[in-house]
Amino acid sequence: MRFEELPTPCYVVDESLLEQNLKTLNGVMERTGSKILLAQKAFSMSTMYPLIRKYLSGTASSGLYEARLGHEEMGKENHVFSPAYREDEIDEIISYCDHIIFNSFSQVEKFKDKVLQAGKKVGLRINPEHSTQVGHAIYDPCSPGSRFGVTAKNFRPELLDGVSGLHFHTLCEQNSDDLETTLNAVEEKFGPWLSQLEWINFGGGHHITREDYDIDLLEKCIKRMQDQYGLEVYLEPGEAIALNAGYLVTTVLDKLENDIEIAILDTSATCHMPDVLEMPYRPPLLGSGEANEKPYTYRLGGQTCLAGDVIGEYSFDQPLQNGDRLVFGDMAIYTMVKNTTFNGMPLPAIALKDKNGDYRIVREFGYENFKTRLA
Ligand SMILES: *Cc1c(COP(=O)(O)O)cnc(C)c1O
């Protein structure tokens, strides 16, 4: 199928771009002997797992369903973290995963025997209380009162029996300089116990596939933990795996004017790209400029009733026409996984652009997907 034949709205994942990212990540693994996992919460398009499996060590899961998906579709190492596990799910989770990471000593005490009996590894999430993010409190697990990870004050070394590794996750879209200072905090607060453990998991938030990412420093950080403490090092980025590897294709439905020019698209920020509002950020749009950079500027908005369902202001060389296709970039991660059908909006189709440049629809959705989720 050709690009023009794709239905809209439609997510398109570009296999070549995804593979480029995977090669970058695999290079880190090869040079350092560390293991990199796909954090499925950012990108769970299982159609791509056979490709991802060639380059990465496995999956990181946030709970039962992701654990099952990783087990069934990736079939490699599968690590799981949850702020608390349910008693009626833990056995199934253990059956799918090899590393079960707990958020508190009480959860360790409650479930560790089951994990060890199954021959699986017990991990503990720590909170190094080292905030490296400015102005992003909802993405900062080190903020005051955070529910994530055991702090130094609550750390109980006498309860480490059976725990083979530590996990921290404190970064979000960050470079390796922030990882380095985080490791300093980890060593300062938890250093005395690192040598008695087998592994450490640096979590996600490492923007490894971004152009300006300092991979050398990342590798120094990995080697430091390996050499100093004999630890096996895991990383579980989500974003970095499919960063800039997908698009959202949408069609202009109508144009209006209310002191500014406005265009209504057959997509929605809140339903199809919620991070645009939550993060918030302005997604790239192919062939466009900043507001007023090119001659024709429009505010682009969605079909829902939400006044704030606005993607942003963009400028173009030509006036937009009804029926024009617009292509937003960086739409593989934290998009499909966060979709809603608010206002009865349809879910975008999911398509693949293969290495020959051909397009193929992988999944389409309809009315039933809306109706059956609500009752
Ligand atoms: C969100 C998350 C990740 C992945 O984070 P990215 O920012 O997508 O790289 C990894 N591990 C844990 C525990 C997470 O919560």
Side-chain angles (χ1 to χ4, degrees):
M1 164 179 283
R2 288 175 306 117
F3 173 78
E4 297 74 30
E5 296 171 304
L6 291 171
T8 68
C10 182
Y11 297 111
V12 179
V13 169
D14 186 315
E15 193 177 5
S16 304
L17 295 176
L18 179 62
E19 188 161 28
Q20 230 170 289
N21 286 347
L22 292 168
K23 283 182 173 158
T24 302
L25 297 166
N26 185 263
V28 173
M29 292 173 39
E30 297 260 293
R31 287 186 296 275
T32 59
S34 60
K35 291 184 173 171
I36 300 185
L37 311 168
L38 161 69
Q40 297 178 97
K41 78 163 196 250
F43 184 71
S44 307
M45 186 177 168
S46 50
T47 325
M48 308 312 292
Y49 284 16
L51 178 69
I52 297 171
R53 186 192 296 133
K54 287 203 252 175
Y55 294 98
L56 302 187
S57 300
T59 37
S61 307
S62 330
L64 178 59
Y65 292 170
E66 286 187 3
R68 179 172 168 183
L69 189 72
H71 175 73
E72 290 181 354
E73 302 299 324
M74 191 78 79
K76 296 184 83 170
E77 275 196 41
N78 195 8
H79 297 215
V80 62
F81 164 78
S82 175
Y85 295 94
R86 298 168 60 105
E87 250 170 286
D88 58 356
E89 289 183 355
I90 191 74
D91 290 326
E92 195 180 346
I93 287 175
I94 293 170
S95 77
Y96 297 140
C97 298
D98 35 82
H99 290 63
I100 321 293
I101 298 155
F102 296 99
N103 193 44
S104 67
F105 279 108
S106 54
Q107 285 260 303
V108 169
E109 288 297 290
K110 189 168 173 188
F111 293 126
K112 82 171 176 189
D113 289 344
K114 276 177 181 286
V115 177
L116 295 172
Q117 266 160 27
K120 310 292 178 82
K121 308 257 186 213
V122 176
L124 178 72
R125 180 163 176 172
I126 51 169
N127 180 348
E129 296 172 275
H130 179 71
S131 287
T132 50
Q133 312 186 40
V134 254
H136 266 150
I138 75 161
Y139 292 108
D140 183 6
C142 294
S143 59
S146 167
R147 70 188 188 285
F148 291 118
V150 178
T151 57
K153 189 174 135 217
N154 292 321
F155 197 67
R156 307 263 307 272
E158 72 278 13
L159 297 179
L160 279 181
D161 189 36
V163 175
S164 57
L166 296 182
H167 173 285
F168 65 84
H169 168 71
T170 67
L171 306 179
C172 180
E173 300 191 339
Q174 277 160 288
N175 213 316
S176 40
D177 52 342
D178 288 324
L179 173 62
E180 187 179 40
T181 62
T182 299
L183 285 181
N184 296 342
V186 168
E187 274 186 318
E188 191 190 307
K189 295 180 161 126
F190 305 95
W193 298 283
L194 293 178
S195 306
Q196 74 184 67
L197 297 165
E198 294 168 22
W199 53 273
I200 187 162
N201 186 324
F202 291 179
H206 318 278
H207 241 190
I208 301 168
T209 50
R210 197 175 71 200
E211 222 156 72
D212 68 343
Y213 189 88
D214 184 349
I215 291 185
D216 280 346
L217 180 57
L218 168 67
E219 294 182 359
K220 282 196 192 106
C221 288
I222 293 170
K223 292 211 173 94
R224 170 173 157 198
M225 289 291 124
Q226 291 170 328
D227 295 345
Q228 219 143 313
Y229 305 103
L231 291 168
E232 173 154 41
V233 175
Y234 289 96
L235 289 97
E236 48 182 30
E239 286 221 6
I241 281 133
L243 189 66
N244 290 315
Y247 307 97
L248 175 59
V249 187
T250 171
T251 300
V252 176
L253 298 178
D254 195 20
K255 296 181 297 171
L256 346 156
E257 182 270 314
N258 179 14
D259 293 331
I260 56 168
E261 299 292 326
I262 299 165
I264 310 290
L265 311 180
D266 67 351
T267 186
S268 156
T270 188
C271 296
H272 303 155
M273 40 186 130
D275 275 2
V276 165
L277 306 180
E278 238 176 69
M279 187 79 181
Y281 79 106
R282 179 180 182 276
L285 173 58
L286 274 57
S288 76
E290 299 290 325
N292 303 316
E293 186 184 333
K294 294 175 181 252
Y296 302 96
T297 294
Y298 296 85
R299 173 174 293 174
L300 302 179
Q303 281 179 287
T304 73
C305 67
L306 176 71
D309 193 358
V310 167
I311 301 145
E313 294 187 8
Y314 296 83
S315 65
F316 302 87
D317 292 321
Q318 305 293 333
L320 290 180
Q321 306 292 343
N322 293 347
D324 280 355
R325 284 183 168 221
L326 301 182
V327 181
F328 289 99
D330 197 22
M331 281 289 156
I333 47 174
Y334 294 108
T335 52
M336 315 172 204
V337 292
K338 290 185 135 189
N339 272 344
T340 72
T341 56
F342 178 53
N343 274 227
M345 281 293 290
L347 297 170
I350 297 175
L352 173 66
K353 180 185 181 191
D354 70 20
K355 286 179 199 165
N356 305 319
D358 291 329
Y359 293 85
R360 171 166 68 85
I361 294 175
V362 177
R363 181 83 58 204
E364 281 186 280
F365 305 94
Y367 172 65
E368 285 303 313
N369 301 100
F370 163 64
K371 181 186 169 191
T372 57
R373 219 166 45 82
L374 297 173

